[in-house]
Amino acid sequence: MGTELLAPLDLAFWHLESDAHPMHLGALAVFSPAPGVGPAGILDLLGTRAAAIPRLRMRVRDVLLPVGGSAWSVHKEFDVHRHVVRVVLEEGDFMAEATRLAGELMEQPLERGLPPWQMYLLSGADDGPFAVLVKLHHALADGMRAVAIGAGIFDQIAAVTAASGAGRGAVRRRVPVPPRSWMPGPRQVAGMALDRIGEVGRALGVGASVVRASRLDLHVSTALTAGSSGTRRLATAELDADVVQGIRRAEGGTANDVVLAVVAGGLRRWMLGREEELPGADPRALVPVSRRRPRATTGTGNRLSAYLLGLPVREPDARARLRAVRTAMDRNKAAGPLRGAGAVAVVADQLPPLVHRLGAPLAGSAARILFDVLVTSVPLPRSALSLGGCPLSAVYPMAPLARGQALAVALSTYGGRVQVGLVADGKALPDLDRLATAIEEELAELRSLIVPPAAAPSPAPVPEECLDRRTVTTAPTV
């Protein structure tokens, strides 16, 4: 892998970063222990597999042309041990301590002179559970690409990658590629010019829709916005994926509609629990949409647009909240990802590099005008995963905070559970754990309203003398 210019949207993420607003994605992967596997072996395995991922050897450097541009290039002095480190947790509740420490580590920006990523092995007792915190700069990858890159550490993915890589290497040796001139020919220049004209035309159309969608509705929900303290707090929640699907089957729409409604209801519960007045306007969520084609192998940069969704926190009925979310998302999908203020990323993808370099501070401050909270879903492989034979039990994704905003919500589904990662400004939302609890309670209420428990006959009494030799299991009702 040689030198590669940063795509415009990647460059925007690179220049949006500040000490108080690091622009890295994250994931906290939690593993169950396996016999004979200790932290030292896991740390060595992480380093070996991370070093084998070509993308993780790339760093950003400035270039002369285009003006204001930057490029990815291989870091010739790459040392994986600067990127993969172990942090020993204090004794106590493992998950609580890992979550607390992950929040503190998410505060720290990545070193810009090095490949922009970091992995931390968070472990306590040698024979206990452990977690891996992965940080990837948003310029390096969007959510789908981040999963593809980070998945290289797992046993199942690493084995397949190694096997297919060897095969591709053999093919490349047998089929030489003719040398290319770095100068484009006349036909290429003409084609590039026509493509650029088309891109500018599309950008103007998208830009006009952004202005139309945002200029008449400039509002800020004070419950979710705050001056940045530079601190980060992490909280996690878990939702039963079968319950989410049961609600979807009963009400229609998508599973994503259900979780968005659950987030809206959780925010309402949390705001009321704080004894604060509900906002005068529903807070707006930015819901990212990938423009990457399924199973596409080309393109390494960010390929994003987004929908804007008013989270109906003022609606007191949980079922009505779900229907409001479904209606709004249907309207967004009918318009497509190139319409509305959420398509601002598409506009950014058409701007020249110098605009991103000079205009990043202004663009960062404008985020709070467009939306109040980020709510994103991160796709994960459906198969069971492990690291060094230790089974993966949960993955909590984490999204960066936009300037002036206090909360970002990320969700992923693994092992029959929807795992929710909440990232907040530590000083603005010290009660983030209460929001996590409120989200779980909201799903329970929605289930009770839409999918009531099926009537079941009372179990026959069990003789006392048999109680210590019999296990009674109850299947969950969806």
Side-chain angles (χ1 to χ4, degrees), residues 167-199:
R168 286 196 302 268
V171 171
R172 283 196 298 267
R173 284 192 295 272
R174 289 196 302 268
V175 184
V177 177
R180 280 185 173 182
S181 169
W182 62 275
M183 287 289 291
R187 292 185 179 180
Q188 290 174 294
V189 170
M192 291 166 60
L194 289 174
D195 289 344
R196 190 60 184 162
I197 291 172
E199 290 171 356

Side-chain angles (χ1 to χ4, degrees), residues 247-310:
I247 295 171
R248 178 196 64 78
R249 287 191 293 270
E251 284 290 303
T254 68
N256 199 46
D257 295 341
V258 177
V259 296
L260 287 169
V262 167
V263 169
L267 285 170
R268 175 184 170 86
R269 289 170 177 270
W270 170 69
M271 291 175 181
L272 293 175
R274 292 177 122 205
E275 298 183 349
E276 67 179 44
E277 187 176 344
L278 293 175
D282 286 333
R284 295 206 296 187
L286 186 75
V287 183
V289 179
S290 175
R291 294 190 292 130
R292 196 179 301 280
R293 294 179 180 179
R295 294 182 292 277
T297 57
T298 59
T300 55
N302 284 271
R303 298 286 296 164
L304 292 173
S305 184
Y307 296 136
L308 278 183
L309 171 70

Side-chain angles (χ1 to χ4, degrees), residues 147-466:
V147 170
I149 293 172
I153 69 171
F154 295 115
D155 299 336
Q156 296 76 7
I157 310 299
V160 172
T161 302
S164 61
R168 286 196 302 268
V171 171
R172 283 196 298 267
R173 284 192 295 272
R174 289 196 302 268
V175 184
V177 177
R180 280 185 173 182
S181 169
W182 62 275
M183 287 289 291
R187 292 185 179 180
Q188 290 174 294
V189 170
M192 291 166 60
L194 289 174
D195 289 344
R196 190 60 184 162
I197 291 172
E199 290 171 356
V200 171
R202 287 191 293 272
L204 290 174
V206 173
S209 70
V210 169
V211 172
R212 286 195 300 269
S214 59
R215 64 181 177 181
L216 298 179
D217 190 14
L218 304 182
H219 73 278
V220 175
S221 173
T222 56
L224 300 175
T225 59
S228 176
S229 67
T231 61
R232 293 292 180 269
R233 183 181 294 272
L234 172 66
T236 63
E238 288 212 5
L239 310 175
D240 190 319
D242 288 340
V243 172
V244 171
Q245 290 293 345
I247 295 171
R248 178 196 64 78
R249 287 191 293 270
E251 284 290 303
T254 68
N256 199 46
D257 295 341
V258 177
V259 296
L260 287 169
V262 167
V263 169
L267 285 170
R268 175 184 170 86
R269 289 170 177 270
W270 170 69
M271 291 175 181
L272 293 175
R274 292 177 122 205
E275 298 183 349
E276 67 179 44
E277 187 176 344
L278 293 175
D282 286 333
R284 295 206 296 187
L286 186 75
V287 183
V289 179
S290 175
R291 294 190 292 130
R292 196 179 301 280
R293 294 179 180 179
R295 294 182 292 277
T297 57
T298 59
T300 55
N302 284 271
R303 298 286 296 164
L304 292 173
S305 184
Y307 296 136
L308 278 183
L309 171 70
L311 296 174
V313 301
R314 295 178 299 162
E315 170 56 58
D317 181 77
R319 195 167 195 166
R321 284 195 293 270
L322 173 56
R323 291 175 177 174
V325 166
R326 178 187 171 189
T327 299
M329 288 301 289
D330 285 346
R331 187 164 53 246
N332 275 329
K333 293 169 190 174
L338 300 184
R339 289 292 180 268
V344 66
V346 181
V347 179
D349 208 21
Q350 306 297 332
L351 296 176
L354 190 59
V355 173
H356 289 301
R357 186 179 291 269
L358 299 179
L362 179 61
S365 300
R368 64 187 302 170
I369 298 175
L370 295 176
F371 65 96
D372 303 308
V373 58
L374 175 72
V375 184
T376 182
S377 295
V378 181
L380 292 179
R382 295 184 180 182
S383 59
L385 300 172
S386 61
L387 175 61
C390 300
L392 176 69
S393 57
V395 181
Y396 300 98
M398 289 169 276
L401 287 182
R403 190 168 302 170
Q405 297 179 339
L407 176 68
V409 183
L411 310 100
S412 62
T413 302
Y414 178 78
R417 311 290 292 176
V418 179
Q419 280 122 16
V420 185
L422 305 172
V423 176
D425 182 282
K427 291 187 177 179
L429 300 183
D431 57 343
L432 191 62
D433 288 338
R434 294 173 59 184
L435 175 56
T437 300
I439 288 174
E440 294 176 341
E441 292 173 348
E442 178 67 14
L443 180 65
E445 179 179 349
L446 200 54
R447 176 187 184 181
S448 68
L449 290 174
I450 297 175
V451 191
S458 301
V462 179
E464 291 186 2
E465 64 269 22
C466 298

Side-chain angles (χ1 to χ4, degrees), residues 6 8-18 23 60 62 68-70 112 137 139 353-361 403:
L6 268 72
L9 188 53
D10 303 342
L11 199 61
F13 287 131
W14 187 249
H15 290 304
L16 280 171
E17 183 169 69
S18 67
M23 288 299 297
V60 176
D62 292 338
S70 298
R112 293 173 77 86
H137 200 284
L354 190 59
V355 173
H356 289 301
R357 186 179 291 269
L358 299 179
R403 190 168 302 170

